[in-house]
Amino acid sequence: MAVEVYLVFDGDCRQAVEFYSQVFGTEITDLTTFGDTPQHPDYTLPEEAKNRIMHARLEISGSRVMFSDTFPGQPFEQGNNVTLALLSDKQDELKEWFEKLKDGGIVEMELQETFWSQLYGRVTDKFGIHWQLSHEV
């Protein structure tokens, strides 16, 4: 299990990832735009979302740091754009943590299967800390 930092940007994630890649002399190990993802047949992806970064990853000094842009229209406040990502290969553990974290908090995305994870969800706990929980084998 790992706890990782997830940094969120408002449309300038690609520039930030390229900058940090140069600063730390590391390769971008993953970069996916919203336009690269499978599209839902009942929902048309807005043009302004297609080039925004849905997910990117750098290895910095032995730690993984993840990045994304907000989806157009999502609230963004610079300084509140850090989330903690809990990654586990144990789905029961993720479910237990999610249930406890959502007590008094706000569920942003219920735990569910996505195209990148068998189990993924987002919650802001009662202290305002943003969490992403993801099953990773």
Side-chain angles (χ1 to χ4, degrees):
M1 199 268 305
V3 177
E4 299 179 350
V5 175
Y6 210 110
L7 303 174
V8 181
F9 298 84
D10 192 24
D12 57 353
C13 181
R14 183 182 304 272
Q15 295 91 328
V17 170
E18 290 171 355
F19 172 76
Y20 293 126
S21 174
Q22 290 178 343
V23 167
F24 297 108
T26 187
E27 295 294 318
I28 299 168
T29 57
D30 189 14
L31 191 135
T32 305
T33 66
F34 285 103
D36 294 334
T37 64
Q39 301 304 301
H40 192 282
D42 297 331
Y43 179 74
T44 304
L45 186 67
E47 196 61 39
E48 64 271 19
K50 290 182 179 175
N51 290 322
R52 283 184 174 234
I53 304 303
M54 188 192 102
H55 179 75
R57 183 180 296 170
L58 294 176
E59 301 283 334
I60 300 174
S61 254
S63 294
R64 293 191 308 184
V65 179
M66 297 178 287
F67 304 80
S68 72
D69 277 316
T70 58
F71 196 80
Q74 273 188 316
F76 175 85
E77 185 177 331
Q78 194 166 7
N80 276 350
N81 52 335
V82 176
T83 66
L84 296 176
L86 291 171
L87 310 174
S88 176
D89 61 356
K90 298 175 183 79
Q91 290 191 18
D92 289 341
E93 188 173 61
L94 288 170
K95 290 174 184 176
E96 180 182 341
W97 293 339
F98 190 85
E99 288 302 312
K100 290 177 180 178
L101 285 168
K102 78 178 192 179
D103 183 27
I106 299 167
V107 173
E108 297 166 24
M109 182 177 176
E110 285 289 346
L111 280 174
Q112 59 190 275
E113 185 172 348
T114 64
F115 70 89
W116 68 87
S117 176
Q118 291 179 349
L119 194 64
Y120 175 84
R122 290 190 321 263
V123 62
T124 300
D125 70 22
K126 62 185 173 185
F127 300 104
I129 305 300
H130 302 276
W131 297 88
Q132 297 182 57
L133 290 84
S134 185
H135 180 255
E136 232 180 60
V137 180

